[in-house]
Amino acid sequence: MKTRIHPPTPTALDAKTRPDAVLEYWQQRPWQEQLANAVSCADELFDLLGLPKNAHPALRRFGLKAPHAFVAKMRRFDARDPLLLQTLPSAEEFAKTPGFGLDPLGESAHNPIKGLLHKYRSRVLITLTGACAVHCRYCFRRHFDYQSNAPKSDAQDAILRYIRQNPDVNEAILSGGDPLSVSNRRLFDWIDKLGQTPIKTIRLHTRLPVALPARVDDELVDFFARFGKKLVIVVHTNHPNEIDAATARAFLRLKASGATLLNQSVLLRGVNDDVDTLVRLSYALFDADVLPYYLHALDKVAGSAHFYVPPSEAARLYWALLERLPGYLAPKFVQEEPDKPHKTPVDIYKRR
Ligand SMILES: *Cc1c(COP(=O)(O)O)cnc(C)c1O
Ligand code: SF4
């Protein structure tokens, strides 16, 4: 009998001397292993990208995290790469900017039970986990207290009871963190139990098919295909370079399972704040069976001000986008306002 010999785990030196082999190696590994070994050291990231080592803040919380599959989509030798800018911690995050706070959405006021946000009448949002595969520097959840808010197993009963007692609720949104960063066992248990309540639709908000496409494994796709209720999957893609062959395949497989596939993006200075990029993003999504849903104006969370696109500029960009795209490929441009019972369309008329 032949034993299959695995290549040895790459070393720190390999990242510098043969970066392609290192990126290739990890992308062949099971997703759980890729997730556990995501790049968390900026020096390794610089080596993989052929960039000079640079000063970067070491963060105790919400530090650098990017799976090799995501790093593989960054351009080498380019310190302004749009995917790199989304993941590399920068000194600008420590800037104190008026108007950028810790809980910009006022979410703590809509948190009836642990792990559950009920802000919009017909849907509840369950923060299944605080974990994500990639740490996006602009993320509005970076200051959210997940440790005390991630639903423990005993919270599941309370959440299911809450849903049954609120007949207005017809949709449960699994969010986080990222709901696909938990095991299939845990995820399927939640979806099965939510499926037994009267709600009609289960929705997942996830960046995993982008950050770690191998996460979309056979077991997941088979489970979705067998699930008896409406399933909506909102992926999170900000730049067309995030959609490589593996991610496109993951999107297509999710779509083929019968789910409705939508995308949300965040408008980010230096990343996707130009019309060509946003047009290319919409078409790349469409090629992979995903329809643009939302383009979000940045939530004003402390540490993200350097990604902010001023309203007048954002409005000009959005009008130009409408000029270039068919209606079904133009995302709705929205912002989140505390205490509003819906996402709010950005007022692009006043600022024309
Ligand atoms: C964004 C969000 C939703 C979903 O809103 P849709 O407009 O249906 O996509 C639900 N609950 C909360 C708390 C949200 O932030
Ligand atoms: S994957 Fe989503 S929740 Fe997680 S850090 Fe990125 S934007 Fe935030």
Side-chain angles (χ1 to χ4, degrees):
M1 201 171 72
K2 256 194 183 159
T3 336
R4 218 172 133 217
I5 299 175
H6 287 296
T9 311
T11 63
L13 184 64
D14 291 333
K16 196 175 181 64
T17 55
R18 30 183 229 121
D20 289 340
V22 173
L23 295 171
E24 181 71 30
Y25 171 89
W26 285 112
Q27 287 179 84
Q28 307 297 326
R29 307 303 301 158
W31 71 264
Q32 295 87 342
E33 213 178 299
Q34 292 190 48
L35 188 58
N37 290 281
V39 176
S40 60
C41 159
D43 284 347
E44 183 189 352
L45 185 60
F46 292 136
D47 278 344
L48 287 169
L49 297 174
L51 290 169
K53 302 217 165 110
N54 227 314
H56 54 267
L59 298 174
R60 211 160 42 80
R61 291 184 55 218
F62 207 72
L64 167 67
K65 185 174 182 184
H68 292 83
F70 193 74
V71 175
K73 301 187 239 197
M74 298 177 186
R75 284 186 298 253
R76 299 199 74 214
F77 314 114
D78 182 0
R80 304 299 302 165
D81 176 83
L83 281 59
L84 176 63
L85 293 180
Q86 291 180 60
T87 43
L88 184 67
S90 108
E92 292 169 294
E93 291 174 30
F94 299 98
K96 295 239 183 331
T97 313
F100 287 71
L102 293 183
D103 181 19
L105 312 183
E107 286 194 331
S108 30
H110 303 274
N111 200 191
I113 39 179
K114 255 188 193 177
L116 185 101
L117 288 171
H118 190 189
K119 204 170 157 187
Y120 304 161
R121 183 189 297 198
S122 65
R123 40 265 189 250
V124 289
L125 189 147
I126 300 167
T127 49
L128 199 57
T129 169
C132 292
V134 61
H135 285 172
C136 312
R137 305 320 305 169
Y138 52 84
C139 182
F140 75 95
R141 297 203 176 277
R142 60 184 299 164
H143 304 290
F144 192 71
D145 186 2
Y146 284 108
Q147 247 50 42
S148 70
N149 220 321
K152 306 265 170 340
S153 37
D154 59 337
Q156 193 185 49
D157 291 341
I159 288 175
L160 294 169
R161 205 174 320 120
Y162 182 92
I163 290 172
R164 287 181 203 280
Q165 286 167 353
N166 284 270
D168 278 346
V169 174
N170 60 25
E171 178 170 7
I173 302 172
L174 296 177
S175 179
D178 198 308
L180 284 189
S181 61
V182 308
S183 68
N184 279 342
R185 217 180 83 182
R186 180 142 179 256
L187 179 73
F188 297 173
D189 176 61
W190 271 97
I191 296 180
D192 275 333
K193 291 196 172 127
L194 288 165
Q196 288 158 25
T197 70
I199 56 168
K200 293 161 65 103
T201 305
I202 311 273
R203 188 193 322 181
L204 280 95
H205 275 240
T206 178
R207 194 148 158 71
L208 256 295
V210 172
L212 183 43
R215 173 63 183 96
V216 181
D217 58 12
D218 295 345
E219 204 178 53
L220 183 74
V221 175
D222 291 347
F223 177 84
F224 286 167
R226 284 196 315 270
F227 184 61
K229 290 192 168 179
K230 282 280 186 205
L231 191 66
V232 177
I233 301 172
V234 182
V235 296
H236 176 174
T237 320
N238 295 320
H239 191 283
N241 292 3
E242 292 169 31
I243 308 176
D244 64 353
T247 287
R249 204 178 323 116
F251 288 166
L252 290 164
R253 292 192 74 197
L254 289 170
K255 181 70 195 310
S257 79
T260 296
L261 233 61
L262 304 170
N263 181 67
Q264 59 175 354
S265 309
V266 182
L267 183 61
L268 299 167
R269 151 92 58 225
V271 173
N272 59 8
D273 60 337
D274 70 282
V275 183
D276 283 340
T277 301
L278 291 172
V279 167
R280 282 197 295 124
L281 174 61
S282 275
Y283 279 109
L285 289 164
F286 188 49
D287 283 343
D289 276 356
V290 183
L291 286 177
Y293 179 38
Y294 281 147
L295 174 65
H296 289 271
L298 185 76
D299 294 316
K300 291 183 153 186
V301 60
S304 69
H306 54 296
F307 286 116
Y308 188 65
V309 180
S312 58
E313 203 183 315
R316 212 176 319 122
L317 228 152
Y318 190 70
W319 281 112
L321 193 63
L322 293 182
E323 219 174 285
R324 296 267 304 269
L325 288 170
Y328 59 89
L329 291 188
K332 299 182 183 104
F333 188 23
V334 296
Q335 65 197 37
E336 192 122 9
E337 290 182 345
D339 303 322
K340 286 274 169 63
H342 46 68
K343 310 260 186 265
T344 306
V346 172
D347 186 351
I348 53 174
Y349 292 97
K350 236 174 24 203
R351 293 157 175 159
R352 202 170 180 179

